[in-house]
Amino acid sequence: MDRANLPIILDLPQIERRLENVDLIGLMEGAFAAFSRGEAVVPVPGELLFDDPPGEVHLKYGYIRGGETYVVKIASGFWNNPQRGLSSSDGLLLVFRKETGELTAVLNDRGRLTDLRTAAAGAVAAKHLAPNEVDTIGVLGSGIQAELQVQLLQTVRPCRRIAVWGRNPERVSLYAQKMRDKDFLVDVVHSPSEVAARSRLIVTATASPKPLLQWEDIRPGTHITAIGADSADKQELDRSIIYNADLVVTDSRSQARSRGELGHAYGADDLAMSKVAEIGEIIEAKAQGRSAPNQITVSTFSGLAVQDIVMASAVLGRS
């Protein structure tokens, strides 16, 4: 093979340098808008689920019409990894030339691009749906998303106080210290309901198989960003929250039918699902975001390949 046609191989430090000046939140807004305009070809994700040790692998892939490439992403999450001194997430992106199918780039990001684009999506949701003033950010979970979601929220809803709950006291303690080292004020609380009692912006970032929050826990004016339930076996919110919230928003109605909060609440109920807005429609002003201070709003995202596509394009500087 001609050396000039060999694929580019980038490791994590190289990828992070290329992302230093990228507006991740603006990038995600553009991705969601393109998806809701029908410009992205994004098939149903593939996934592998493991019991021992507990973990999962997601495969997401697609392209943007008019672009030069298509992207295949493999991303994993293994929940016992922190006990081994490893990140719970890993993965890479493969970028191919759409005209010929040639491999053009391997982005060996170790899951970092997925982590960043997921956190940026949470910030996009808060930008359009959260109350204007936030005095405490509530967090369920103690992993990488519990960190990154709060950090990226600072650009859209600045707030230095965190109320956090997690199942594993040791991990929560480590999380609290890590965030305090970043100048956050952190209160570790005893239950998800206590998080809700203290917060009007809540991020749920767990792999819970059963609901952690109930409708009666939620205060008027609260926004919930639910990002943990990205497969059919997970659920962080009781169905009553989805049924009763003033506004429920997802990244993809079609993808949401088979996974996460909307899969549990509505499944194949077309009429109910038609009342759920896509975040891309809100960005495009084709649907309305928060319209009153006391509204309870929920964003429940399972992650779209279009997010990975634009992340790869940002790293490579091409379409």
Side-chain angles (χ1 to χ4, degrees), residues 120-199:
V124 170
K127 176 180 176 179
H128 294 276
L129 300 170
N132 289 330
E133 301 295 331
V134 175
D135 58 15
T136 300
I137 297 172
V139 177
L140 303 187
S142 56
I144 186 64
Q145 281 304 310
E147 298 176 34
L148 289 178
Q149 291 278 336
V150 172
Q151 290 175 223
L152 267 70
L153 278 173
Q154 302 309 305
T155 62
V156 295
R157 293 296 187 275
C159 175
R160 307 302 296 184
R161 180 171 291 280
I162 303 168
V164 61
W165 171 88
R167 283 197 178 89
N168 186 307
E170 183 179 350
R171 291 184 194 176
V172 173
S173 179
L174 290 172
Y175 169 83
Q177 188 56 55
K178 186 178 294 187
M179 298 308 283
R180 288 172 185 141
D181 290 344
K182 296 176 181 178
D183 296 324
F184 288 93
L185 303 171
V186 184
D187 295 325
V188 177
V189 302
H190 298 98
S191 67
S193 60
E194 188 175 351
V195 169
R198 295 189 180 205
S199 315

Side-chain angles (χ1 to χ4, degrees), residues 17-238:
R17 283 196 295 272
R18 288 174 175 234
L19 287 176
E20 283 178 357
N21 297 315
V22 173
D23 173 10
L24 294 176
I25 295 172
L27 195 67
M28 288 304 105
E29 287 186 307
F32 289 132
F35 176 81
S36 290
R37 290 195 301 265
E39 296 173 6
V41 177
V42 177
V44 175
E47 60 191 19
L48 298 171
L49 304 178
F50 302 94
D51 296 323
D52 187 20
E56 62 190 21
V57 177
H58 292 269
L59 292 87
K60 294 183 178 178
Y61 36 90
Y63 63 91
I64 295 178
R65 302 180 196 276
E68 298 176 359
T69 61
Y70 64 90
V71 173
V72 177
K73 183 189 77 170
I74 304 170
S76 65
F78 284 87
W79 319 128
N80 292 343
N81 276 6
Q83 299 172 17
R84 304 179 179 184
L86 301 172
S87 172
S88 60
S89 60
D90 209 327
L92 56 76
L93 281 77
L94 304 175
V95 183
F96 299 85
R97 182 179 297 175
K98 195 169 67 175
E99 184 177 355
T100 64
E102 295 171 280
L103 178 65
T104 64
V106 178
L107 306 184
N108 187 22
D109 68 305
R110 307 302 304 271
R112 181 66 172 174
L113 292 175
T114 297
D115 288 338
L116 289 173
R117 61 84 149 153
T118 301
V124 170
K127 176 180 176 179
H128 294 276
L129 300 170
N132 289 330
E133 301 295 331
V134 175
D135 58 15
T136 300
I137 297 172
V139 177
L140 303 187
S142 56
I144 186 64
Q145 281 304 310
E147 298 176 34
L148 289 178
Q149 291 278 336
V150 172
Q151 290 175 223
L152 267 70
L153 278 173
Q154 302 309 305
T155 62
V156 295
R157 293 296 187 275
C159 175
R160 307 302 296 184
R161 180 171 291 280
I162 303 168
V164 61
W165 171 88
R167 283 197 178 89
N168 186 307
E170 183 179 350
R171 291 184 194 176
V172 173
S173 179
L174 290 172
Y175 169 83
Q177 188 56 55
K178 186 178 294 187
M179 298 308 283
R180 288 172 185 141
D181 290 344
K182 296 176 181 178
D183 296 324
F184 288 93
L185 303 171
V186 184
D187 295 325
V188 177
V189 302
H190 298 98
S191 67
S193 60
E194 188 175 351
V195 169
R198 295 189 180 205
S199 315
R200 289 199 304 138
L201 173 53
I202 303 171
V203 176
T204 65
T206 76
S208 179
K210 59 183 180 180
L212 300 172
L213 289 173
Q214 307 294 322
W215 173 248
E216 55 268 24
D217 297 330
I218 310 304
R219 297 163 57 196
T222 295
H223 170 69
I224 304 169
T225 293
I227 58 101
D230 57 357
S231 57
D233 61 323
K234 301 176 190 174
Q235 186 179 8
E236 298 181 296
L237 310 180
D238 188 77

